[in-house]
């Protein structure tokens, strides 16, 4: 750098300029970092808000049922891209997309069984339409779907429990006599009639909700709920002894040591075998199997 | 300072009203036309396009899927169907060619809202402008892609995304989504100029990145004709993109607007009375070398 040869004032201004520009750079860098920090903090806050909101937004009223094949709720919310193609391809127009302000994640599909149950199309067009497998394409048989589970939730108003013949839920059920069966019970009120109690079986019920819509009461006594609300679950450590026994083909505990009786040779004691058993003597009984032999024996001896 | 009361008058005088609003009109036709394609089904039973911008099926054959939303879904662990992948490839290929942010200015319905806000700002002379960085949108984009990884419950951004909300709202039912739309309108009107689309929207940021090497670009090939009226800067939603191309001649910069922030909306083309701007390829060059030689030779002959 050629420093001008110089009077002092020129030098001073030159140095001032230099330091000035240096300050400016410094300021710019500070500004830049400051701004970036500001932005990052702001966006971070937005993120926290969103994460908190997502927890709230992923709750759903108990009567909102997802379409057939829907993944478990958490996975579903990650997979559903809210395109509404399932809604469009439902021939019965039962599906809705959650709107802003609804108590369901915005844009996700659901139906309400009481007003519009799933009609269980054989081709399952809603599943076929789904571009992301949020409605699982492995579901080929609509009877395998588990949208929810029907529960006869109010036995006090269900008229079958009053001994009246209704059985509407039983009769509209598309998996008739498997998903809902009628259990005949004694009617203690009249003492001489029967009750035909509808019983839902989770191994066959798809949760389509046709029974809920058909229920003749003002407010349905049988309702479809999402599986996690409707179904209990055994503790994972729980084992049913008789089933385990069946599976193993033998008792799983050590069998009792056989009791020993102080009996003469050739004699056993076994209660199931009706008490004292004398081995090898069965043939040596003095009595023949033919009673005539016994009757005639006296004559023979004489 | 540009006089807002006479904004655009020069262009109208030079080219007539229609020509000086050509691309604005075409964009509105495009935006409303796309909506109309989705609406003929639910309104008139004439199904042209089913679904919404997240994923759609045109005439039951052409699948189109939003790569941004599918990316979010994939990050939360989804394996999409083949149709969705094909749809994404088609969409990506399109925006790779014409510029990612063509989505913003020619497709996105929120653009009509924010354009209205920007127009009203100019008319009412609202100058309030809170300073925050245009790069905020990239932070937002990062946030929306990180959230599905961190928080269970999936595609968090789609719970609040006003872009998909508005489109889905119009096609499937608005619910309270208009509050969101109104919020964006007021934000753009009062809080920040081009606040949503130009600063925050991660959808735009995503498409910005998609189209960063796109072929179709606005250029300022006739930049020598510029009379410094500054009106293009006023109407441009991303005015920072203009200067390098328009004023870069001395530095030898290309007259093509290369910044992928540019939404290819064409308002600068419309508003310019001198026809400085036009659409062209990424490598568009002015042929004026030849032209000038021609002029010179003509001059020499004369």
């Amino acid at each position: 750098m050629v420093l001008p040869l110089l009077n002092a004032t020129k030098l001073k201004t030159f140095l001032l300029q230099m330091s000035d520009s240096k300050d400016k750079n410094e300021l710019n860098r500070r500004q830049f970092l400051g701004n970036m920090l500001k932005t990052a903090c702001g966006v971070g806050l937005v993120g926290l808000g969103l994460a908190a909101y997502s927890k709230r937004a992923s709750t759903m009223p108990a009567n909102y049922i997802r379409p057939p094949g829907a993944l478990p709720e958490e996975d579903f919310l990650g997979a559903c891209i809210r395109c509404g193609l399932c809604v469009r391809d439902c021939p019965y127009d039962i599906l809705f997309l959650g709107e802003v302000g609804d108590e369901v994640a915005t844009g996700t599909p659901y139906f309400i069984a009481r007003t519009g149950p799933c009609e269980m199309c054989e081709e399952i067009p809603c599943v076929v339409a789904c571009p992301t497998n949020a409605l699982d394409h492995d579901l080929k048989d609509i009877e395998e779907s588990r949208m929810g589970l029907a529960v006869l939730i109010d036995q006090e108003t269900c008229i079958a429990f009053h001994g009246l013949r209704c059985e509407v839920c039983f009769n509209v059920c598309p998996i008739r006599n498997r998903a809902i069966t009628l259990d005949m019970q004694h009617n203690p009120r009249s003492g001489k009639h029967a009750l035909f109690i509808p019983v839902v079986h989770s191994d066959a019920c798809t949760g389509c909700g046709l029974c809920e819509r058909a229920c003749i009461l003002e407010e349905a006594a049988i309702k479809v709920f999402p599986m996690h609300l409707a179904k209990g679950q055994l503790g994972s450590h729980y084992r049913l002894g008789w089933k385990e026994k069946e599976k193993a083909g033998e008792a799983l505990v050590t069998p009792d040591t056989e009791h020993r009786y102080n009996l003469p040779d050739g004699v056993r004691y076994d209660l199931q075998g009706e008490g004292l058993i004398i081995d090898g003597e069965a043939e040596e009984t003095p009595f023949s199997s033919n009673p005539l032999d016994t009757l005639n024996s006296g004559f023979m001896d004489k | 300072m540009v006089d807002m009361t006479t904004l655009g008058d020069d262009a109208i005088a030079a080219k007539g009203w229609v020509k000086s609003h050509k691309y604005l009109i075409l964009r509105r036709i495009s935006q409303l036309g796309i909506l109309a394609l989705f609406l003929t089904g639910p309104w008139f039973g004439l199904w042209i396009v089913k679904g919404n911008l997240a994923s759609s099926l045109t005439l039951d054959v052409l699948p189109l899927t939003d790569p941004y939303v599918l990316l979010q879904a994939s990050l939360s662990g989804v394996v999409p169907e083949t149709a969705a992948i094909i749809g994404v490839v088609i969409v990506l290929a399109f925006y790779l060619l014409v510029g990612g942010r063509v989505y913003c200015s020619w497709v996105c319905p929120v653009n009509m809202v924010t354009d209205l806000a920007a127009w009203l700002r100019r008319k009412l002379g609202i100058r309030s402008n809170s300073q925050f960085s245009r790069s905020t949108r990239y932070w937002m984009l990062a946030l929306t892609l990180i959230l599905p990884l961190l928080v269970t419950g999936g595609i968090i951004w789609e719970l609040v995304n006003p872009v998909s909300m508005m489109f889905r709202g119009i096609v499937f039912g608005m619910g309270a989504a208009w509050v969101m739309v109104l919020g964006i309108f007021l934000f753009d009107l009062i809080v920040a100029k081009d606040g949503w689309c130009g600063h925050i929207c991660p959808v735009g940021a995503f498409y910005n990145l998609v189209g960063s090497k796109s072929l179709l670009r606005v250029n300022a090939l006739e930049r020598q004709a510029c009379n410094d009226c500054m009106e293009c800067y006023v109407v441009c939603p991303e005015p920072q993109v203009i200067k390098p191309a328009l004023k870069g001649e001395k530095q030898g910069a290309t007259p093509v607007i290369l910044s992928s922030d540019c939404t290819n909306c064409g308002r600068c083309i419309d508003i310019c009375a001198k026809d400085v701007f036009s659409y062209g390829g990424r490598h568009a060059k002015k042929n004026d070398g030849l032209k000038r030689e021609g002029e010179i030779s003509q001059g020499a002959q004369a």
Side-chain angles (χ1 to χ4, degrees):
Chain A
M1 191 184 303
V2 188
L3 276 177
L5 287 175
L6 287 166
N7 55 50
T9 38
K10 263 193 178 168
L11 181 64
K12 206 173 156 192
T13 40
F14 180 76
L15 285 176
L16 259 176
Q17 270 170 357
M18 287 219 10
S19 66
D20 198 34
S21 71
K22 199 180 154 203
D23 276 356
K24 247 184 199 160
N25 278 338
E26 183 66 21
L27 199 65
N28 278 343
R29 183 153 72 229
R30 262 191 223 168
Q31 244 170 4
F32 174 74
L33 287 173
N35 279 342
M36 199 161 94
L37 202 66
K38 203 168 74 177
T39 314
C41 285
V43 172
L45 277 176
V46 170
L48 281 178
L50 277 177
Y53 175 70
S54 78
K55 287 272 167 275
R56 257 178 51 95
S58 54
T59 57
M60 205 167 49
N63 62 334
Y64 281 28
I65 308 294
R66 295 287 186 206
L71 301 176
E73 188 62 13
E74 260 184 16
D75 298 336
F76 180 81
L77 287 177
C80 172
I81 58 173
R82 287 83 159 148
C83 67
L85 282 168
C86 53
V87 176
R88 291 297 184 231
D89 279 5
C90 173
Y92 296 95
D93 279 337
I94 61 150
L95 293 174
F96 302 98
L97 288 189
E99 293 176 4
V100 183
D102 284 353
E103 291 173 271
V104 58
T106 310
T108 55
Y110 66 93
F111 68 90
I112 296 173
R114 183 64 167 165
T115 47
C118 172
E119 301 280 352
M120 305 240 303
C121 313
E122 220 168 283
E123 299 82 16
I124 333 181
C126 50
V127 172
V128 176
C130 180
T132 60
N133 266 320
L135 306 180
D136 194 348
H137 284 237
D138 286 341
L139 179 73
K140 301 289 181 208
D141 178 3
I142 186 67
E143 293 197 5
E144 296 296 316
S145 73
R146 293 290 178 270
M147 297 168 256
L149 181 62
V151 181
L152 208 171
I153 197 163
D154 190 6
Q155 310 191 344
E156 291 176 344
T157 51
C158 173
I159 63 170
F161 284 84
H162 297 275
L164 298 166
R165 297 293 304 271
C166 172
E167 294 139 38
V168 168
C169 53
F170 168 78
N171 281 313
V172 298
C173 180
I175 309 179
R176 195 166 179 277
N177 210 20
R178 281 196 289 135
I180 301 178
T181 56
L182 291 177
D183 186 18
M184 189 170 77
Q185 293 176 9
H186 173 61
N187 181 347
R189 183 179 57 80
S190 72
K192 55 189 174 186
H193 295 102
L195 304 176
F196 289 99
I197 303 299
V199 181
V200 181
H201 301 277
S202 67
D203 57 347
C205 174
T206 63
C208 69
L210 282 161
C211 54
E212 183 177 341
R213 179 176 65 176
C215 180
I216 59 148
L217 304 186
E218 281 294 309
E219 178 72 42
I222 190 166
K223 287 177 173 160
V224 172
F225 292 113
M227 209 48 113
H228 70 278
L229 292 181
K231 195 97 182 84
Q233 196 183 9
L234 274 179
S236 59
H237 63 284
Y238 218 93
R239 299 287 181 275
L240 299 173
W242 60 93
K243 291 207 169 152
E244 297 301 316
K245 193 173 167 183
E246 211 170 80
K247 228 190 289 172
E250 58 180 4
L252 296 173
V253 289
T254 323
D256 292 339
T257 46
E258 208 173 319
H259 191 86
R260 289 205 221 165
Y261 303 92
N262 196 9
L263 294 167
D265 280 351
V267 181
R268 290 186 292 121
Y269 183 83
D270 180 7
L271 194 60
Q272 306 293 310
E274 305 285 313
L276 213 56
I277 297 165
I278 303 165
D279 289 332
E281 221 177 57
E283 316 295 304
E284 291 165 29
T285 170
F287 304 106
S288 160
S289 56
N290 184 351
L292 279 178
D293 292 344
T294 311
L295 288 173
N296 294 330
S297 64
F299 300 108
M300 303 285 279
D301 286 347
K302 281 175 186 170
Chain B
M1 213 52 233
V2 178
D3 184 355
M4 293 298 170
T5 55
T6 61
L7 183 72
D9 286 357
D10 288 349
I12 295 171
K15 307 191 280 191
W17 193 90
V18 173
K19 233 192 137 201
S20 65
H21 293 82
K22 184 172 148 196
Y23 290 113
L24 186 63
I25 296 165
L26 286 175
R27 281 197 303 124
R28 293 293 173 260
I29 291 174
S30 162
Q31 288 159 341
L32 294 171
I34 288 168
L35 265 172
L37 290 176
F38 283 88
L39 283 171
T40 56
W43 285 5
F44 310 113
L46 179 68
W47 292 100
I48 301 172
V49 190
K50 289 189 291 195
N52 60 38
L53 290 185
S55 192
S56 66
L57 191 61
T58 305
L59 297 172
D60 283 325
V61 282
L62 174 70
L64 295 173
T65 303
D66 181 4
Y68 175 51
V69 73
L70 198 72
L71 178 61
Q72 292 175 69
S74 305
L75 287 172
S76 71
V78 164
V79 182
E81 282 294 296
T82 332
I85 296 167
I86 295 170
V88 160
V89 169
I90 296 171
V91 170
L92 279 178
F94 176 74
Y95 288 118
L96 278 171
L97 282 178
V98 302
R101 294 207 65 199
V102 160
Y103 177 88
C104 301
S105 60
W106 292 78
V107 178
C108 180
V110 174
N111 175 265
M112 291 186 272
V113 177
T114 55
D115 270 4
L116 180 67
W119 177 80
L120 213 57
R121 264 181 91 88
R122 292 196 291 268
K123 286 286 164 203
L124 300 178
I126 298 171
R127 301 225 169 280
S128 60
N129 201 4
S130 64
Q131 292 292 324
F132 58 102
S133 164
R134 280 187 185 269
S135 65
T136 308
R137 50 188 150 183
Y138 296 110
W139 291 85
M140 286 294 292
L141 177 62
L143 177 75
T144 60
L145 295 180
I146 290 169
L147 275 177
L149 296 174
L150 298 183
V151 187
T152 53
I155 315 177
I156 311 289
W157 177 243
E158 285 306 305
L159 292 172
V160 293
N161 183 1
V163 175
S164 53
M165 246 179 212
M166 183 174 174
F167 197 92
R168 190 174 54 235
I170 295 169
V171 179
F172 284 91
M174 204 64 172
W178 60 269
V179 176
M180 222 53 183
V181 177
L182 184 69
I184 286 180
F185 176 74
L186 292 177
F187 181 72
D188 267 28
L189 182 68
I190 296 161
V191 181
K193 180 177 181 290
D194 306 317
W196 178 258
C197 302
H199 293 75
I200 297 176
C201 181
V203 184
F206 176 84
Y207 279 102
N208 190 327
L209 297 179
V210 167
S212 56
K213 293 281 173 267
S214 75
L215 282 182
L216 182 70
R217 288 289 171 189
V218 174
N219 59 55
L221 286 188
E222 302 295 333
R223 57 189 170 187
Q224 282 156 332
C226 174
N227 61 359
D228 292 330
C229 73
M230 305 290 280
E231 290 191 355
C232 53
Y233 290 97
V234 174
V235 294
C236 179
E238 303 274 354
Q240 75 279 10
V241 308
I242 297 178
K243 198 179 170 193
L246 185 62
K247 296 293 161 197
E249 193 161 29
K250 274 181 204 150
Q251 290 93 326
T254 168
V256 179
I257 294 176
L258 287 177
S259 167
S260 54
D261 288 347
C262 172
T263 68
N264 275 359
C265 73
R267 281 296 284 145
C268 53
I269 306 176
D270 283 348
I271 201 88
C272 184
K274 300 288 176 191
D275 279 336
V276 168
F277 299 97
S278 56
Y279 283 117
R282 185 178 190 81
H283 305 288
K285 280 199 188 73
K286 197 179 172 189
N287 250 346
D288 59 3
L290 284 171
K291 207 165 133 197
R292 222 170 264 162
E293 271 171 31
E295 278 165 13
I296 290 164
S297 58
Q298 273 172 6
Q301 280 167 5

